[in-house]
Each structure stands twice: as C-alpha cells, then as structure tokens.
C-alpha cells in the first residue's frame, strides 16, 4: 500500500504492472512497442516528406496522423517506464495537468483527423471530378489546423476543470497516466455535471466523427461495388479497408470506455482498454498503412535507393567532366 503525505499536492500513479518479474517482462514488451511506434511513425513522416509522389492530401493527412500518434504514445509510456524502474510513482499537480492536456489533445484531434481522412476518400472515390477543388491544399490545411485547434480547446477545458476540483480523498490514481475519469474518483464533490460534459464531449469528438466515417464509407463501398475497372476497384477497396482497420482499432475501445456509466466501469478494465488506444494503435497505424499500401511500399523502395542513385549520378557527372 502506498503511503501518502496528506500535505503534498502530488498524485500517485499506481501504474499498469506490478513491480515483479512478470511486470518487468510486460513492461519490456511495452517499451518494444514504444520503440516500434516511434520508428514507424517517424519513418512515415520522413517518407511522406521526401517522396514527391506522396505529396497528396491523403498522405499529408496521414503524416499528421503519424505525428499525433508519436506525441500520443510519448505522453504516457516514458513516464510509466520511469515510475516502474525508479519506484517513484508520484507526479506533480502541474505535471498531471500537462500529461492530461497532451493526452486529451491527441485523442480528440486524432478522432477529427480520421474523419477528415474518411471525407478525403469519399470525395476521391465518389466525386473524383470535384476532388482537386474540395480537397485542395488550402482545404487540407484547414482540416488539419481545425483538428488541432478544436482538440486543444476541448482538452484545455477538461484539464482546467479537473485541476480545479477539490481532492480531499487519497491522491492515488489507479491508472498508468492522469486520466481525468480516474481522477474524478478522488474528488470530494459531486461530479455529475462534469461526467455529463465528458459524455457530450465524447459524443462530439468521437461518436459523431465515427458515425460520419461510417456513413462516408457506406457511400464509398457502394461506389466501389459499381466500379467497372477491376484494378480500380481493388485499389480503392485496399485503401479504404486500411483506413477502416485503423478507425476500428482506435474508436472501439475509446468509445466503449468513455460512454459507459461509472457504475459499469472498473479500473482494471479501463487500464487494459487504454493500452489499445494509447499504446497499440500508434504502433499498428504505420504498419497497417505501409504493409497494405503499394504506394507507401514503393516510396520506401525509392527513398532507400535514392542515396545510391545520387552517388551514381555524381560519378557519371564527374566522369563526363574529365572526358
């Protein structure tokens, strides 16, 4: 049992694993996932930046998704690993607020960005003649900036409210990061108003975009079914199925966690579900988009061969000058 100094304003994060050999092995697995997610998302951002063939709205949005996933997993895993190895599970009041802000910002912004990606595929497949206008560079930038700004505003509102709640009970948070619903259990006031705000916020930033994505892909799948070109149908279906896989991995555990009443929730279940959308999804996204996308695989080959081709070109130019 954690001993707690009642005069302190710090919180205690119980973490995800027990401090034993099994917990160590599981944490090492999480660190491996963190490494793969960091390398995968960084590679995707670098790849889209270098390859001119990927300078399209879809891949511009995908680069932002990789950036969000990189920040997403970095807001939780390093702190969790440090707490496990150091044995110091405390986090300052301000640090808890910062972690909560970044986590919620990435969560809300990514939900909106996934909806923008679904809209991009809908216009590209169902209204291809209008695509250059409806998904112009300016529109793409607006969708991205809007996702970041709306996610930040929503996150700031939740974080400020959570930090102004009086905590007169134990400050031990039964989670591996400062999740606001887990913090509410420590409040010494009735928080039903805020719980209603969480329900409304989750509906606006997760459920509504998810319904929009579902409707968009309903239209897309209908259009794919009526395509005459077998090659075009296969390419469109591959792209859309990739995005739907990412959407399912992200939205399903998130919506299930935050739309359930408090009476049906348990800390252990919440922590397990949080692993899916905070740790596994950031690792899976670049893998799914690279392995199931011929354009990305082709870009990997082109970029990896570029240094060799540059050297070969320089040698030919030098030889020509000598001749």
């Amino acid at each position: 049992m954690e001993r707690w100094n009642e005069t302190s304003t710090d919180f205690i994060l119980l973490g995800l694993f027990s401090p034993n050999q099994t917990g160590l092995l599981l944490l090492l697995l999480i660190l491996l996932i963190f490494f793969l997610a960091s390398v995968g998302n960084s590679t995707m951002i670098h790849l889209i930046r270098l390859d001119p063939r990927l300078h399209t709205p879809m891949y511009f949005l995908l680069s932002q998704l990789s950036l969000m996933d990189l920040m997403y997993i970095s807001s939780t895993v390093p702190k969790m690993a440090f707490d496990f190895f150091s044995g110091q599970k405390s986090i300052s009041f301000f640090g808890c607020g910062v972690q909560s802000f970044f986590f919620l910002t990435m969560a809300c912004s990514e939900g909106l960005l996934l909806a923008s990606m679904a809209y991009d595929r809908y216009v590209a497949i169902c209204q291809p003649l209008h695509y250059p206008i409806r998904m112009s560079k300016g529109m793409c930038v607006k969708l991205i900036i809007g996702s970041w700004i709306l996610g930040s505003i929503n996150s700031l509102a939740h974080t400020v409210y959570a930090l102004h709640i009086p905590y007169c009970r134990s400050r031990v948070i039964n989670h591996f990061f400062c999740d606001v619903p887990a913090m509410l259990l420590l409040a010494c006031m009735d928080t039903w108003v805020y719980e209603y705000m969480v329900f409304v916020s989750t509906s606006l930033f997760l459920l509504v975009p998810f319904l929009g994505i579902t409707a968009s892909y309903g239209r897309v799948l209908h259009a794919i079914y009526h395509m005459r070109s077998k090659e075009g149908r296969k390419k469109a279906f591959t792209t859309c199925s990739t995005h739907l896989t990412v959407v399912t991995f992200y939205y399903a555990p998130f919506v299930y966690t935050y739309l359930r009443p408090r009476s049906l929730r348990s800390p252990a279940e919440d922590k397990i579900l949080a692993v899916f959308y905070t740790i596994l999804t950031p690792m899976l996204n670049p893998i799914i988009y690279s392995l199931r996308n011929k354009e990305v695989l082709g870009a990997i080959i082109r970029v990896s061969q570029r240094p060799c081709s540059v050297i070969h070109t320089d040698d030919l130019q030098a030889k020509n000058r000598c001749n």
Side-chain angles (χ1 to χ4, degrees):
M1 177 68 78
E2 297 283 349
R3 294 184 62 85
W4 178 252
N5 180 6
E6 294 182 358
T7 62
S8 175
T9 60
D10 292 353
F11 289 99
I12 294 290
L13 294 172
L14 291 185
L16 187 60
F17 306 120
S18 301
N20 52 35
Q21 189 172 4
T22 302
L24 176 61
L25 292 175
L26 292 174
L27 181 64
L28 292 177
L29 178 61
I30 294 293
L31 291 176
L32 175 62
I33 294 174
F34 175 74
F35 173 77
L36 294 175
S38 300
V39 172
N41 286 293
S42 299
T43 301
M44 190 68 72
I45 295 170
H46 186 63
L47 194 67
I48 293 171
R49 185 180 65 86
L50 289 181
D51 196 311
R53 300 187 189 184
L54 300 184
H55 292 176
T56 62
M58 184 181 78
Y59 290 106
F60 191 26
L61 293 171
L62 180 56
S63 68
Q64 291 297 305
L65 179 67
S66 295
L67 177 61
M68 289 179 182
D69 282 337
L70 196 58
M71 296 177 66
Y72 205 0
I73 194 169
S74 298
S75 67
T76 56
V77 173
K79 172 61 178 172
M80 179 177 66
F82 175 80
D83 289 349
F84 185 91
F85 288 118
S86 67
Q88 299 176 0
K89 298 184 177 182
S90 64
I91 182 171
S92 67
F93 190 76
F94 177 75
C96 196
V98 171
Q99 186 185 53
S100 177
F101 172 77
F102 278 102
F103 165 76
L104 290 173
T105 298
M106 296 307 111
C108 298
S109 299
E110 187 165 327
L112 296 174
L113 187 71
L114 289 172
S116 299
M117 295 174 70
Y119 175 74
D120 172 78
R121 292 300 85 203
Y122 164 74
V123 177
I125 295 173
C126 298
Q127 300 178 356
L129 297 179
H130 297 281
Y131 186 78
I133 299 174
R134 294 197 173 185
M135 284 304 297
S136 63
K137 184 177 180 180
M139 176 57 71
C140 194
V141 170
K142 289 178 182 178
L143 290 173
I144 291 172
I145 294 177
S147 298
W148 282 98
I149 291 177
L150 291 175
S152 300
I153 292 174
N154 179 70
S155 173
L156 184 62
H158 284 283
T159 303
V160 170
Y161 186 93
L163 295 182
H164 280 78
I165 293 176
Y167 296 100
C168 56
R169 302 176 186 175
S170 168
R171 287 180 177 257
V172 178
I173 301 175
N174 193 0
H175 217 298
F176 61 91
F177 65 95
C178 289
D179 190 28
V180 174
M183 295 170 63
L184 292 182
L185 299 176
L186 311 179
C188 56
M189 60 174 284
D190 191 356
T191 59
W192 73 269
V193 175
Y194 180 74
E195 290 177 25
Y196 179 75
M197 287 174 56
V198 170
F199 178 83
V200 172
S201 177
T202 304
S203 299
L204 290 176
F205 284 88
L206 293 176
L207 189 58
V208 172
F210 179 73
L211 294 177
I213 292 171
T214 304
S216 295
Y217 278 108
R219 295 287 300 275
V220 167
L221 293 175
H222 182 266
I224 292 174
Y225 180 77
H226 289 88
M227 280 184 176
R228 295 182 180 180
S229 170
K230 184 178 292 186
E231 184 65 25
R233 186 189 305 153
K234 182 180 179 181
K235 181 179 179 181
F237 183 77
T238 300
T239 303
C240 295
S241 62
T242 298
H243 187 211
L244 281 174
T245 303
V246 171
V247 167
T248 302
F249 271 110
Y250 180 76
Y251 277 102
F254 221 129
V255 171
Y256 180 73
T257 298
Y258 286 91
L259 288 184
R260 283 182 303 161
R262 181 192 289 187
S263 58
L264 299 178
R265 300 174 60 176
S266 68
E269 190 176 33
D270 285 350
K271 287 193 285 187
I272 293 173
L273 289 171
V275 170
F276 280 91
Y277 56 79
T278 61
I279 299 175
L280 292 181
T281 299
M283 178 201 70
L284 291 173
N285 284 353
I287 295 175
I288 292 172
Y289 275 109
S290 61
L291 294 181
R292 300 195 62 185
N293 193 311
K294 291 183 179 180
E295 292 180 348
V296 174
L297 290 175
I300 293 174
I301 296 173
R302 288 191 296 272
V303 171
S304 62
Q305 292 177 345
R306 182 172 296 179
C308 297
S309 62
V310 170
I311 293 172
H312 182 66
T313 302
D314 292 341
D315 290 341
L316 288 176
Q317 291 175 350
K319 185 177 180 180
N320 291 334
R321 285 196 297 268
C322 292
N323 293 333

